[in-house]
Amino acid sequence: MLRVSGYWLIAIGILHPLVHGWLFAKPLMDIVQDGWFNAIAPNPSDPFYDREDAFWCMMITPFLLIIGWLCCWAQTRGIRLPSFPGWILLLTAAVGVTLEPFSGFWLIIPPALLMLVDRQRDKESLKNLL
């Protein structure tokens, strides 16, 4: 189950910048055309909100990939992950779905639950061994 969570998160991590690159093409091109450095909020009291949205949507991608690869890596090596990554993902998804129901936060719930089920199954199998 951990590997399924990993592949799921990696797929989201790949699709996320593709979808948001298309949705935020204009603000992302504006950032590039303004030379990258301080192109999002040169005046902090009057930032470019569309550029901020584009930036933060892109910045989540590495974290999704890291967590996904970590799940796959742990499964391959037979390492049990602690439960907190699953709980943090689930809590993040719950907050995201509550604040923005029409979003991709729903996609984070299945891998988070799979991570928690995998951890619980490991605990039960250890109890049975003892």
Side-chain angles (χ1 to χ4, degrees):
M1 280 201 221
L2 201 55
R3 189 180 308 248
V4 173
S5 295
Y7 288 147
W8 188 295
L9 291 167
I10 290 168
I12 294 170
I14 292 168
L15 291 173
H16 200 262
L18 296 175
V19 169
H20 285 97
W22 177 68
L23 291 173
F24 291 111
K26 169 104 174 69
L28 289 170
M29 288 310 299
D30 291 342
I31 291 169
V32 171
Q33 289 171 350
D34 282 353
W36 287 89
F37 183 76
N38 204 20
I40 295 172
N43 179 358
S45 63
D46 188 26
F48 297 109
Y49 291 111
D50 59 340
R51 294 182 187 190
E52 283 187 347
D53 288 346
F55 170 74
W56 285 112
C57 282
M58 292 301 190
M59 288 305 293
I60 192 65
T61 297
F63 298 102
L64 292 169
L65 293 172
I66 287 169
I67 297 167
W69 281 325
L70 179 65
C71 288
C72 291
W73 177 84
Q75 180 75 43
T76 301
R77 285 164 179 72
I79 298 170
R80 288 185 300 274
L81 290 181
S83 60
F84 70 84
W87 284 115
I88 290 171
L89 280 176
L90 188 60
L91 180 61
T92 302
V95 170
V97 164
T98 302
L99 294 173
E100 192 177 359
F102 186 71
S103 69
F105 282 108
W106 293 98
L107 296 173
I108 301 297
I109 294 172
L113 290 174
L114 287 173
M115 290 170 75
L116 293 171
V117 166
D118 186 69
R119 180 64 181 164
Q120 187 61 34
R121 190 169 35 157
D122 284 343
K123 283 183 182 178
E124 290 173 8
S125 67
L126 282 175
K127 285 180 187 175
N128 291 337
L129 288 174
L130 300 174

